[in-house]
């Protein structure tokens, strides 16, 4: 491993140490500053193979991903509450600090889908939509203006905040549905969706992610597209990684790795036809 990679890993571990000592991860000047430093560090173009990290750094990476997931959830709750306090919440959605990143990522995902789909999907499921379902809102508003989006989240309070955001938009609310459920308990109804999005933080480690993917493989219809967010290189300190070999029952169609402000990689796979 080169000097540049070692310096990056040292910096990430140093930031993790500071984050792990905080009393809470609610948005604040200190929390925001540390996560900004972390994201900027992990956007480095120097290549890091996470499978070759030593045990200590591997353990820190696992803990850091969980910290990032928790902080991201708290950030979304904070801004969903703030945005939802307005009469027309969607007019204020751009105040979310990572809104531009979501715009770019949604554009990438739509472009990838558009190359694969022969027709506009009628029903899309988004698993792990959270209190601020920006991807569904952006896709439904900018790209897929006739598609119905079914958003699944295990947390009823997250769905309550999400519903508050879209309920004032009469057109969007007719195409945006929210289901409070653990996706591992959803089975036959999954067959109605032509595309299923799997959020980056559904399955916080490889084993859990593989269980979710297997469940989807068992219950979505043959030919259904599965779009997953992963991470590559140093970005893998922020999010779990999906290895294409973990996609049993699927044919991998397209993989995107970002080189700009977008953090997540994107993988699209199709469930194999049966019989």
């Amino acid at each position: 491993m080169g000097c540049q990679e070692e310096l990056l890993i040292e910096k990430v571990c140093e930031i993790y140490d500071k984050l792990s000592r905080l009393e809470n991860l609610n948005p604040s000047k200190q929390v925001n500053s540390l996560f900004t430093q972390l994201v900027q560090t992990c956007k480095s173009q120097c290549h890091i193979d996470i499978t070759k990290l030593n045990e200590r750094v591997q353990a820190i990476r696992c803990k850091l991903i969980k910290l990032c997931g928790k902080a991201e959830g708290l950030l979304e709750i904070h801004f969903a509450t703030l945005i939802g306090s307005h009469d027309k919440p969607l007019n204020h959605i751009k105040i979310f600090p990572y809104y531009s990143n979501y715009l770019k990522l949604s554009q990438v995902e739509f472009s990838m889908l558009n190359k694969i789909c022969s027709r506009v999907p009628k029903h899309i499921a988004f698993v792990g939509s959270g209190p601020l379902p920006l991807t569904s809102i952006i896709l439904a508003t900018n790209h897929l203006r006739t598609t119905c989006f079914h958003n699944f989240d295990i947390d009823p309070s997250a769905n309550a905040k999400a519903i508050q955001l879209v309920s004032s938009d009469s057109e969007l609310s007719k195409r945006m549905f929210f289901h409070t459920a653990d996706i591992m308990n959803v089975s036959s109804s999954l067959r109605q969706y032509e595309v299923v999005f799997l959020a980056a933080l559904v399955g916080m480690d490889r084993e859990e992610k593989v269980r979710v993917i297997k469940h989807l493989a068992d219950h979505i219809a043959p030919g259904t597209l599965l779009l997953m967010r992963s991470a590559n290189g140093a970005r893998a300190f922020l999010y779990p990684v999906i290895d294409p070999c973990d996609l049993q029952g699927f044919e991998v169609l397209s993989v995107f790795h970002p080189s700009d402000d977008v953090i997540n990689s994107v993988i699209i796979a199709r469930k194999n036809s049966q019989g």
Side-chain angles (χ1 to χ4, degrees), residues 23-71:
E23 287 185 13
N24 66 69
L25 295 172
N26 287 309
S28 68
K29 189 173 182 180
Q30 185 179 22
V31 169
N32 297 349
S33 174
L34 285 171
F35 277 107
T36 298
Q37 290 176 49
L38 180 64
V39 170
Q40 292 300 324
T41 302
C42 292
K43 283 195 300 186
S44 164
Q45 290 306 302
C46 75
H47 180 71
I48 289 180
D49 184 348
I50 59 163
T51 64
K52 295 181 179 177
L53 299 176
N54 63 48
E55 285 187 18
R56 182 186 72 88
V57 178
Q58 289 280 16
I60 287 174
R61 175 181 170 261
C62 291
K63 293 174 186 174
L64 184 56
I65 287 172
K66 290 177 180 174
L67 279 180
C68 289
K70 186 174 182 180

Side-chain angles (χ1 to χ4, degrees), residues 54-117:
N54 63 48
E55 285 187 18
R56 182 186 72 88
V57 178
Q58 289 280 16
I60 287 174
R61 175 181 170 261
C62 291
K63 293 174 186 174
L64 184 56
I65 287 172
K66 290 177 180 174
L67 279 180
C68 289
K70 186 174 182 180
E72 189 172 317
L74 292 168
L75 185 72
E76 287 193 12
I77 289 168
H78 173 80
F79 278 94
T81 304
L82 183 61
I83 295 165
S85 66
H86 293 88
D87 290 337
K88 293 188 178 296
L90 296 185
N91 290 347
H92 303 271
I93 206 161
K94 293 178 183 177
I95 68 171
F96 185 66
Y98 298 108
Y99 179 77
S100 62
N101 293 57
Y102 275 88
L103 273 182
K104 291 177 184 176
L105 182 57
S106 297
Q107 178 66 60
V108 166
E109 291 170 334
F110 171 71
S111 298
M112 292 171 74
L113 279 174
N114 203 34
K115 289 176 183 175
I116 294 167
C117 292

